[in-house]
Amino acid sequence: MKFDLERLAVLAAVAKHGSMTAAAEELSYTPSAVSQQIRRLESELRTPMVDRHARGVTLTEAGRAVVARAEAISGQLRGLENDLDDLAGLRAGTLRIGVFPTFAASLLPSVITRFRSRHPGVAVEVRSSRNAPLRELLISGEIDLGLAWDYPWNRAEDAAITTEELMLDPTILLLPATHPMAARTDVDPAGLTSETWVVRANHPTTDVLERCARANGFVPNIAAETNDYPELQAMVAAGFGIAMCPALATQPLRDDLVVRRLRPDVPARRISTAHSAGRALSPSHQAMLSAMRSVAAGRPG
């Protein structure tokens, strides 16, 4: 059964006033237009809606049932309008974001705090995962906005994903606080030929060390392989060797370690925001992107 919502509103006005003329005045219609709308509604619903008499009109039993439903529908539509206004005004809704672990452990708290301080009515759900699973979550629609990272030699290009560079995460040198180079402000990679190293096992960040070593004429002596950055910090602190890693991976940093800049610079990893290609960004997406940009721009270099 199909019917026009505008005609339901006309019937409700007739029920309210008991007169097509009064209903016409409220709706800025002519009485004949109101009568025509009622007749079309009766045709659509295949049953009389009003009883016409000399003093006006009264609703039939079917008409009263339709008006009761129409008022309920009208209330639901007003609620929908309010919901959409809230979403557009960032007063309600849920935003689902996906981040990788080092961002979650470093900058994400500041991002969420900034976003919630401005839009407390918008709920934020967070998924932390690796690059590949985050891509799948974006494609499936399980998250609305994600973060990804790459290096110059393995740029992530994907027609299904739209990315925007958020920041560069510099490569730093991680040392025990007692290491002789801990007293320096920065370290030249060419002077690292005799060091032993701690690396992430089978991880793209290890490529940074290997490429840097080749550029400076040495093969890195790898003494320990770890599965994550807290473990890598622990191995460096235990004296297994030193490490190259992204700066975000040292937040938080153990008290018995220090971070030193590498000069000349070693390639940094690019951190990008990501969303499904072709998807329009909602006001909440835009607000979260703004919070991410502000936090990324404000972090120390």
Side-chain angles (χ1 to χ4, degrees):
M1 179 182 295
K2 295 182 180 180
F3 51 85
D4 190 295
L5 290 177
E6 184 178 353
R7 290 177 191 137
L8 294 182
V10 171
L11 181 63
V14 170
K16 174 182 176 183
H17 296 287
S19 162
M20 290 195 184
T21 300
E25 290 178 358
E26 177 186 321
L27 300 171
S28 299
Y29 283 11
T30 64
S32 62
V34 169
S35 179
Q36 187 179 49
Q37 292 282 49
I38 296 299
R39 291 188 185 282
R40 287 180 178 175
L41 182 62
E42 289 175 328
S43 176
E44 289 172 344
L45 300 180
R46 299 188 296 277
T47 187
M49 294 289 102
V50 298
D51 287 325
R52 296 165 176 82
H53 47 77
R55 294 184 179 180
V57 295
T58 56
L59 266 62
T60 62
E61 183 177 3
R64 291 192 296 272
V66 169
V67 167
R69 292 289 186 180
E71 290 175 345
I73 291 171
S74 179
Q76 290 293 324
L77 290 176
R78 287 193 299 272
L80 173 60
E81 185 177 10
N82 291 336
D83 288 347
L84 293 176
D85 286 343
D86 284 344
L87 290 171
L90 295 172
R91 295 185 295 270
T94 299
L95 178 63
R96 304 164 302 170
I97 64 174
V99 298
F100 53 90
T102 49
F103 191 94
S106 55
L107 299 186
L108 182 63
S110 296
V111 170
I112 297 301
T113 297
R114 185 178 184 88
F115 181 86
R116 285 178 172 165
S117 70
R118 289 159 175 75
H119 313 293
V122 180
V124 180
E125 296 179 358
V126 177
R127 298 279 295 272
S128 178
S129 190
R130 310 296 180 186
N131 269 351
L134 286 177
R135 177 193 179 279
E136 296 305 317
L137 291 172
L138 280 172
I139 296 297
S140 68
E142 293 181 61
I143 59 175
D144 305 306
L145 190 66
L147 289 174
W149 59 267
D150 58 18
Y151 282 97
W153 52 84
N154 67 342
R155 290 300 190 209
E157 296 182 359
D158 190 330
I161 302 294
T162 297
T163 62
E164 176 188 326
E165 183 177 309
L166 178 66
M167 59 181 286
L168 292 177
D169 187 13
T171 300
I172 54 83
L173 191 65
L174 186 63
L175 303 164
T178 56
H179 195 284
M181 287 186 292
R184 303 180 187 178
T185 302
D186 50 50
V187 175
D188 186 340
L192 301 174
T193 58
S194 62
E195 298 292 331
T196 57
W197 297 90
V198 180
V199 299
R200 290 285 305 275
N202 302 313
H203 194 270
T205 55
T206 304
D207 290 345
V208 179
L209 170 61
E210 293 175 345
R211 288 170 178 268
C212 178
R214 284 198 298 272
N216 287 280
F218 69 94
V219 176
N221 177 17
I222 297 174
E225 294 185 340
T226 67
N227 288 311
D228 57 33
Y229 287 115
E231 190 178 73
L232 181 141
Q233 287 198 30
M235 294 297 99
V236 173
F240 281 90
I242 63 175
M244 283 185 190
C245 65
L248 289 187
T250 63
Q251 299 179 31
L253 180 66
R254 291 174 56 112
D255 293 338
D256 49 1
L257 299 179
V258 296
V259 166
R260 294 294 178 259
R261 292 174 297 181
L262 288 161
R263 293 288 187 270
D265 290 337
V266 173
R269 68 174 177 174
R270 178 182 66 173
I271 297 176
S272 303
T273 61
H275 64 273
S276 294
R279 178 174 182 175
L281 295 179
S282 72
S284 62
H285 295 156
Q286 297 285 9
M288 178 58 74
L289 286 173
S290 177
M292 288 179 174
R293 294 184 191 111
S294 296
V295 170
R299 69 178 292 268

